[in-house]
Amino acid sequence: MRLKCYTADSMAEAMAAIRAELGDDAIIVSTQRASDGNGVRITAALEHDPVEDDIYQALTGARRAPHGDAVREALEFHGAPARLTELLVNLASATPAHDAIGACAGALDQVFHFLPMPQGAASRPVLLAGPPGTGKTIAVAKLAARARLTGGAVGVITADTVRAGAQEQLAAFTRILEVDLKKARGPEGLATLVPNMQQQYGVIFIDSPGLNPFSQDDMDYLRSLVAAVPMDVALVLNAGTDPMEAIEIAEAFAEAGASRILATRLDMARRLGGILAAAEAGALAFGDVSINPRVANGLCPINPVSLARLILPLEEDIPPEDGVGAYAEDDDVSPYSEAL
């Protein structure tokens, strides 16, 4: 796909220039006012550009792999932003692989980082942050349960003093798990609790109140929590979030200190463009995904192969005739579905 920006005094003039250069098959990707406020700026694209294919063949000595079409179709179904789609399709087309799953996984591995949530000892506490209703509290319970089941010493802190019943909900799980639960009132409480707890526990998970990414006060509060003690911050986001909303949410939380994304309600979402857009916009590493409401086994680490399996239809994952796949099965990926 060839992208080009056109600036003109009016929409009609811009459209005429697009038709003259790209023809009637051009696709309008975005429309906005010019940066000086006068006129319009339109980004248009040509779906198939034979010149690009000729350049690719000249540089590599090979035609583009057919897997790019399958990856494009899947990403468009998921609602991934156009620019991210083009990037992944181009990388998938240039990735040697036996099937579309392998090509997609190779592209994802080049664009995104993958950093699973800690299951055992961790040098820094992990704070889960996100908008209200994304499942932070239950995600903390799941993380604590997994670490506890591996035999680790786990500490949990709730910094959510806003939502009614938040502490009681988390306490119901920690009692069953025999995990210590502490309550911190703001940054000062964290600064006091965390150093003492780090001497007793191998890993500490911190629940936080639901925060509005578009509220300066809420984001300043998150920054104050992050500044209280050295910590890692994971953005908790529903898998089915609208991609454009997800971009703005991720940018806000990343600016406040988030470095990972933990996607929730994967079992209730069929389109994952939102979490792809969020991870790219905020430069967030993929951590884990929440695949069911159960606490004991509700979390699953994710990697390029398992994410590719979620993005592409299962029928695309057909073993080659010689029985050799581009990727081996990953024992760390939970069997939530055939995709994972």
Side-chain angles (χ1 to χ4, degrees):
M1 177 179 282
R2 178 155 58 112
L3 294 172
K4 188 167 183 180
C5 295
Y6 295 82
T7 302
D9 293 333
S10 68
M11 180 72 73
E13 291 181 19
M15 292 302 297
I18 291 170
R19 291 194 188 96
E21 183 170 354
L22 300 182
D24 293 334
D25 293 332
I27 300 170
I28 304 303
V29 176
S30 67
T31 303
Q32 59 191 94
R33 290 188 178 276
S35 57
D36 59 1
N38 299 316
V40 295
R41 187 171 185 269
I42 299 178
T43 301
L46 195 60
E47 181 71 22
H48 177 71
D49 186 0
V51 174
E52 284 188 354
D53 285 346
D54 292 341
I55 293 173
Y56 179 82
Q57 184 177 24
L59 292 174
T60 65
R63 302 300 295 179
R64 289 184 182 272
H67 305 314
D69 292 338
V71 174
R72 180 189 302 282
E73 184 178 352
L75 289 170
E76 288 175 349
F77 167 80
H78 285 284
R83 188 187 62 78
L84 177 58
T85 295
E86 289 308 312
L87 174 61
L88 290 170
V89 167
N90 288 334
L91 290 172
S93 298
T95 300
H98 290 288
D99 54 25
I101 296 289
C104 183
L108 293 168
D109 196 31
Q110 295 178 69
V111 173
F112 298 106
H113 297 289
F114 296 81
L115 185 61
M117 305 294 287
Q119 299 188 32
S123 59
R124 292 153 60 102
V126 179
L127 181 141
L128 300 193
T134 55
K136 295 178 296 299
T137 299
I138 191 67
V140 167
K142 291 178 178 183
L143 288 166
R146 187 171 65 183
R148 187 76 175 88
L149 291 172
T150 61
V154 187
V156 175
I157 299 174
T158 176
D160 187 354
T161 59
V162 177
R163 183 169 62 90
Q167 183 178 359
E168 290 76 10
Q169 180 187 14
L170 191 53
F173 293 114
T174 56
R175 278 195 299 270
I176 296 172
L177 296 169
E178 297 181 347
V179 168
D180 195 15
L181 173 64
K182 300 292 187 182
K183 183 176 181 179
R185 291 190 177 277
E188 298 80 8
L190 281 181
T192 301
L193 277 174
V194 170
N196 293 330
M197 293 181 68
Q198 284 180 315
Q199 298 178 21
Q200 306 174 58
Y201 304 107
V203 61
I204 299 171
F205 298 109
I206 305 171
D207 190 18
S208 67
L211 299 173
N212 181 354
F214 311 118
S215 165
Q216 188 63 49
D217 289 342
D218 281 12
M219 292 297 97
D220 286 344
Y221 179 72
L222 178 57
R223 291 187 187 91
S224 69
L225 292 177
V226 174
V229 290
M231 65 173 67
D232 293 325
V233 181
L235 168 62
V236 181
L237 195 64
N238 293 337
T241 303
D242 174 80
M244 296 300 103
E245 291 285 349
I247 287 173
E248 296 187 4
I249 291 170
E251 288 174 341
F253 278 93
E255 186 179 347
S259 59
R260 280 190 183 102
I261 183 168
L262 190 158
T264 57
R265 301 178 184 174
L266 202 71
D267 52 333
M268 298 176 64
R270 289 296 175 265
R271 288 169 176 80
L272 306 180
I275 60 173
L276 294 172
E280 193 214 14
L284 303 173
F286 279 105
D288 290 24
V289 292
S290 177
I291 57 177
N292 62 52
R294 295 190 293 275
V295 172
N297 60 352
L299 283 180
C300 175
I302 197 162
N303 60 31
V305 179
S306 54
L307 183 55
R309 290 179 184 275
L310 291 172
I311 291 171
L312 282 149
L314 291 178
E315 56 265 28
E316 292 290 345
D317 187 25
I318 301 174
E321 292 182 3
D322 61 4
V324 179
Y327 290 85
E329 290 295 328
D330 190 328
D331 293 334
D332 292 332
V333 178
S334 171
Y336 147 64
S337 68
E338 291 183 45
L340 284 174

